[in-house]
Amino acid sequence: MRVYLPATIGMLRQLVSDGKFMPVSGTGFALTPALRESYTSGSTDELEYAALMDAARASLRLIGAALGDEQESADADAELPRRVVVSVDVEDVTLRPDLDHAVVRLGGPVALDDVAAVHVDAPEAEPAVRAAAAEIDAADLGDADAEFVLGEAEDHELAWYASQELPFLLELM
């Protein structure tokens, strides 16, 4: 099953250095039966894109937490505010429709060999992503202004990278 895992640039660095990583709480997003049923129409590609975008939104939460921790610790090595989604092909997943239509839980860490691709924001998205990461909770609670800020970040398309390109991508950051 193709699973989309929310991540940060720091988590990508860990994936490359360790050869594996465990997504936060083992949570990922996929084209599940519940997601398919929640849409009246849509091709498999369109529904997988919806799962990818759910993971990108979850990446904003991770970025918001990392940026909040940075401000408290005054760490000079700032986490780059770029959404990251790691696409993996795994079989050991548990469907979690009780959490949301696309949510799945992984049974363990993901190996670099299981990574099909990585999707990352371009540098020009950083201001919009930083603003959206600060507003994600308010948007979840229905704040229209915060939802607009999220839309600004989501207007940026994620760039696609093959797993073999990760060391070079990270070196250029």
Side-chain angles (χ1 to χ4, degrees):
M1 170 182 272
R2 176 64 51 97
V3 178
Y4 302 97
L5 305 173
T8 64
I9 297 296
M11 294 167 94
L12 266 189
R13 291 186 195 286
Q14 178 186 357
L15 172 61
V16 170
S17 70
D18 298 348
K20 64 180 180 178
F21 92 105
M22 183 67 181
V24 175
S25 301
T27 300
F29 300 84
L31 174 50
T32 64
L35 180 63
R36 187 175 297 282
E37 290 174 13
S38 70
Y39 281 83
T40 57
S41 67
S43 69
T44 297
D45 288 341
E46 291 169 327
L47 297 175
E48 283 188 349
Y49 184 75
L52 171 83
M53 294 314 294
D54 284 347
R57 191 169 270 214
S59 176
L60 285 172
R61 290 179 180 83
L62 297 174
I63 293 166
L67 292 174
D69 290 345
E70 261 174 35
Q71 290 175 351
E72 291 173 15
S73 67
D75 186 1
D77 187 21
E79 174 74 45
L80 285 174
R82 295 191 197 176
R83 295 171 299 162
V84 175
V85 177
V86 179
S87 300
V88 298
D89 293 316
V90 293
E91 296 304 320
D92 185 19
V93 299
T94 303
L95 302 178
R96 292 300 309 265
D98 56 313
L99 297 175
D100 204 340
H101 298 300
V103 175
V104 296
R105 289 282 163 88
L106 276 63
V110 174
L112 185 55
D113 291 342
D114 295 328
V115 175
V118 176
H119 310 270
V120 181
D121 273 315
E124 51 272 3
E126 288 181 16
V129 169
R130 183 181 297 277
E135 296 292 331
I136 186 83
D137 291 337
D140 285 345
L141 295 173
D143 183 313
D145 291 334
E147 191 63 44
F148 179 78
V149 172
L150 252 60
E152 292 286 319
E154 291 173 345
D155 284 344
H156 292 273
E157 289 292 324
L158 298 170
W160 180 94
Y161 297 93
S163 59
Q164 303 89 321
E165 296 175 295
L166 288 180
F168 307 108
L169 169 66
L170 294 171
E171 186 177 312
L172 293 172
M173 290 186 171

